[in-house]
Amino acid sequence: MTPNSSYSIRAVGFVRSRLTSRAHAPKQGSEGAPEAWVDIDPAFAEALDGIATGQGLILVTWLHQGRRDVLQVHPRDDPEKRLKGVFAARSPDRPNPIGLHIVRVLEIAESVRLRVEPLEALDGTPVIDIKPILSGSVGG
Amino acid sequence: MTPNSSYSIRAVGFVRSRLTSRAHAPKQGSEGAPEAWVDIDPAFAEALDGIATGQGLILVTWLHQGRRDVLQVHPRDDPEKRLKGVFAARSPDRPNPIGLHIVRVLEIAESVRLRVEPLEALDGTPVIDIKPILSGSVGG
């Protein structure tokens, strides 16, 4: 173990959504999440080359409203449910608040703006990576 | 766009694997990757509560050997293939070198050590998050 190893990540873009409050956001994209725009920093435009309308993507986000000091949660915020480790749950509260979202590309505008659905991430959520869905791997 | 937004992530554990060189590692877990140990920092032991042998997990890693200044790659390192944006590829070279790996838990030892398979990550790769697989979401 090498304690205290830390790394710096930077936003490559941001989510623009009508969802503005964690209290009102669906817990998973499959639970009625809306479409949203993903605005990528033009510095990363070249990295989007090859993404097409209709394609499935995994968006990796930084859940900036997540609490990083929480190690256990009640699943789905239900106090009746037994506390569970955050690594066994999908809570946004976790040591590194990384979110994974399977979305479909509905439209590409101005080379760096992707309209996608469904996306349960809040407006202003930083996007830190985008990956294509491959069969046999995560999301495939 | 809010440029230059950056965040600090810390390793919650490390991969212990017989894979030590990127040249010899399979490109995806489904391509003959071996089993490996994931040693979690005991400070995060509580966060593992609820993970059971046999379960499927998504390991999120920091691909520390990835090049962060690369925006386009030849898919699967094949120079015959047309250059493609890294957000449309699964290359470890990307602005934030985050890896996603679907694994199954084979054994849990000393409360904080998980033996998993298949895992194409190299020995020493930092683990930054662990998520359960949910049906209808990433990996489900």
Side-chain angles (χ1 to χ4, degrees):
Chain A
M1 190 63 52
T2 310
N4 304 318
S5 300
S6 72
Y7 316 97
S8 172
I9 54 176
R10 69 183 269 205
V12 299
F14 291 88
V15 171
R16 301 299 172 206
S17 172
R18 64 177 173 79
L19 292 177
T20 54
S21 148
R22 185 169 157 180
H24 297 113
K27 298 198 186 304
Q28 296 294 326
S30 54
E31 298 176 10
E35 60 175 62
W37 284 94
V38 173
D39 288 0
I40 299 299
D41 184 331
F44 300 103
E46 271 183 69
L48 294 168
D49 184 49
I51 293 180
T53 301
Q55 184 178 350
L57 294 176
I58 303 170
L59 283 187
V60 186
T61 61
W62 185 254
L63 303 168
H64 58 310
Q65 297 197 12
R67 288 183 49 195
R68 304 185 66 174
D69 58 343
V70 170
L71 294 183
Q72 299 207 327
V73 291
H74 294 286
R76 302 188 64 81
D77 295 332
D78 178 350
E80 303 277 305
K81 294 198 168 151
R82 196 176 72 79
L83 276 173
K84 201 180 210 183
V86 292
F87 295 155
R90 292 297 279 262
S91 168
D93 299 326
R94 50 207 312 114
N96 294 305
I98 289 169
L100 302 180
H101 318 268
I102 294 229
V103 300
R104 194 167 59 92
V105 180
L106 301 175
E107 180 183 351
I108 302 175
E110 302 151 49
S111 300
V112 290
R113 306 187 64 221
L114 309 178
R115 186 161 62 90
V116 302
E117 74 169 5
L119 187 57
E120 76 279 19
L122 301 182
D123 184 61
T125 298
V127 174
I128 58 176
D129 200 6
I130 300 176
K131 296 178 189 292
I133 292 177
L134 300 183
S135 68
S137 71
V138 172
Chain B
M1 190 63 53
T2 310
N4 304 318
S5 299
S6 72
Y7 316 97
S8 173
I9 53 175
R10 70 182 270 206
V12 299
F14 291 89
V15 171
R16 302 300 171 206
S17 172
R18 63 178 174 76
L19 293 176
T20 54
S21 148
R22 184 167 157 179
H24 297 113
K27 297 199 186 302
Q28 296 294 326
S30 54
E31 297 176 11
E35 60 175 60
W37 284 95
V38 173
D39 288 359
I40 299 299
D41 184 330
F44 298 104
E46 270 183 70
L48 294 168
D49 185 48
I51 293 179
T53 301
Q55 183 178 352
L57 293 176
I58 303 170
L59 283 187
V60 186
T61 61
W62 185 254
L63 302 168
H64 59 307
Q65 297 198 13
R67 287 183 50 195
R68 305 186 65 173
D69 58 342
V70 170
L71 294 182
Q72 299 205 328
V73 292
H74 294 286
R76 301 189 63 81
D77 295 331
D78 179 350
E80 303 279 304
K81 294 198 167 151
R82 197 176 72 77
L83 276 173
K84 202 180 212 184
V86 292
F87 294 154
R90 293 296 280 259
S91 169
D93 298 326
R94 50 207 313 117
N96 295 305
I98 288 168
L100 301 180
H101 318 268
I102 294 228
V103 300
R104 195 167 58 91
V105 180
L106 302 175
E107 180 183 352
I108 302 174
E110 302 152 49
S111 301
V112 290
R113 306 187 64 221
L114 308 178
R115 186 161 62 88
V116 303
E117 76 170 4
L119 187 58
E120 76 279 20
L122 300 182
D123 185 61
T125 298
V127 175
I128 57 177
D129 200 5
I130 300 175
K131 295 178 189 291
I133 292 176
L134 300 183
S135 68
S137 72
V138 172

